[in-house]
Amino acid sequence: MPDREASNNLSSAFAVRGNDALESQYDEWAETYDADNAAMGFRLPVLATAFFARWVPTGGKVLDAGCGTGLASENLHILGYRDLVGIDLSNAMLNKARETGVFSELYRMVMGEALDFASDTFSGAIVTGVFTEGHAPHSSFDELIRVVRRGGHIVFNVRDDIYEHHGFREKMDRLESDGLWKLSEKSEAFRPFTISEPHVIARIFAYEVTS
C-alpha cells in the first residue's frame, strides 16, 4: 500500500496555483520528497535519464530544469555526466539537491520566466515532473531552446492530460513548424508512479534544438 501522506503531498502540489504557493508547497515537502516518491513507485527520473542518454553525449554542460532534490541528475552522474547545472524555484529543494554532491552549479530560477544564462550555454536539458498540473507553463520551452545550443537536445515529460488540454501540443507543434526544434523521439504513454496515482499518465519527449 502506498503511503497516504506521500499521496497527499503530491495532490497538494498538483492543487496549488501560482509560483509563490508552489514554492511554499515544495519548501514544506523537501525533507520527505524523495521518500514519498519512492513509496509511490516514482520511476520518471530513471526513464527520463535513459532517454536523455540516447541523445546527449557525456562531456557537455547539462541543465536540469526544475531539478528538485536532484533525482534525475544523480542518475545522470552515474551515467558519466559531470557538468550538471540545476535550477528550481524552491530553495529548500535546492538545498537537498546540493547534498547530493553531483551538481557543479545550483540556482533559484523559475520556469516560465527568463533564465539567467547566456544563449547556447548547454549541450542538453532535462526536465522531469515539471510539465504537470499547476506547474511550469509551456512558455518555458522558449527559454530552454534559447539556452541549449543548436544540435543539443531537450528531454522532458508531459502529463497526457496537460499535453492535450493545456496548450502543450499546440505549442510544441508550433515550435517545430517554426524551425526552432524537431522531434527526435516520443515514448509510449506510461504511468510515472507504479504503486499509486494510477490516473497520472505521461510521455517523454526528446527534441533537437535546430535554431
Side-chain angles (χ1 to χ4, degrees):
M1 290 289 291
D3 184 83
R4 184 179 299 276
E5 185 65 26
S7 292
N8 288 342
N9 284 330
L10 181 66
S11 297
S12 296
F14 287 163
V16 298
R17 295 293 181 268
N19 286 332
D20 289 344
L22 198 62
E23 180 180 8
S24 295
Q25 175 64 29
Y26 278 99
D27 281 347
E28 294 175 7
W29 193 11
E31 197 60 38
T32 63
Y33 180 85
D34 288 355
D36 287 350
N37 277 290
M40 294 185 290
F42 191 45
R43 59 180 172 172
L44 185 56
V46 171
L47 292 173
T49 51
F51 277 82
F52 189 88
R54 288 180 177 174
W55 297 104
V56 182
T58 58
K61 185 184 286 288
V62 172
L63 176 64
D64 187 346
C67 66
T69 60
L71 291 173
S73 280
E74 285 191 278
N75 293 329
L76 288 175
H77 190 265
I78 292 168
L79 293 172
Y81 298 87
R82 291 294 180 264
D83 196 356
L84 299 166
V85 178
I87 64 170
D88 202 89
L89 88 167
S90 164
N91 281 317
M93 298 291 272
L94 288 168
N95 287 337
K96 298 300 289 186
R98 191 169 290 109
E99 292 175 5
T100 67
V102 305
F103 290 94
S104 56
E105 304 168 54
L106 285 164
Y107 303 101
R108 185 192 177 279
M109 297 185 195
V110 179
M111 297 284 286
E113 298 180 0
L115 301 181
D116 192 17
F117 298 115
S119 298
D120 306 321
T121 295
F122 300 99
S123 62
I126 188 167
V127 192
T128 56
V130 176
F131 297 126
T132 188
E133 186 176 352
H135 286 53
H138 54 63
S139 60
S140 305
F141 293 134
D142 298 319
E143 279 292 275
L144 292 173
I145 289 171
R146 181 184 68 80
V147 302
V148 173
R149 71 186 185 210
R150 185 173 183 175
H153 276 79
I154 302 169
V155 177
F156 57 93
N157 75 285
V158 184
R159 263 180 51 167
D160 263 14
D161 56 332
I162 303 299
Y163 176 72
E164 294 291 350
H165 304 300
H166 291 261
F168 275 77
R169 177 197 287 272
E170 293 80 5
K171 175 68 171 180
M172 291 158 62
D173 288 348
R174 186 163 62 251
L175 289 170
E176 185 158 23
S177 65
D178 289 344
L180 299 177
W181 69 7
K182 66 178 180 180
L183 182 65
S184 295
E185 187 173 12
K186 180 175 76 171
S187 78
E188 300 290 333
F190 65 92
R191 289 179 56 193
F193 301 94
T194 60
I195 298 173
S196 66
E197 311 302 320
H199 65 286
V200 176
I201 303 296
R203 297 174 193 265
I204 294 171
F205 297 83
Y207 277 90
E208 180 185 350
V209 175
T210 54
S211 60

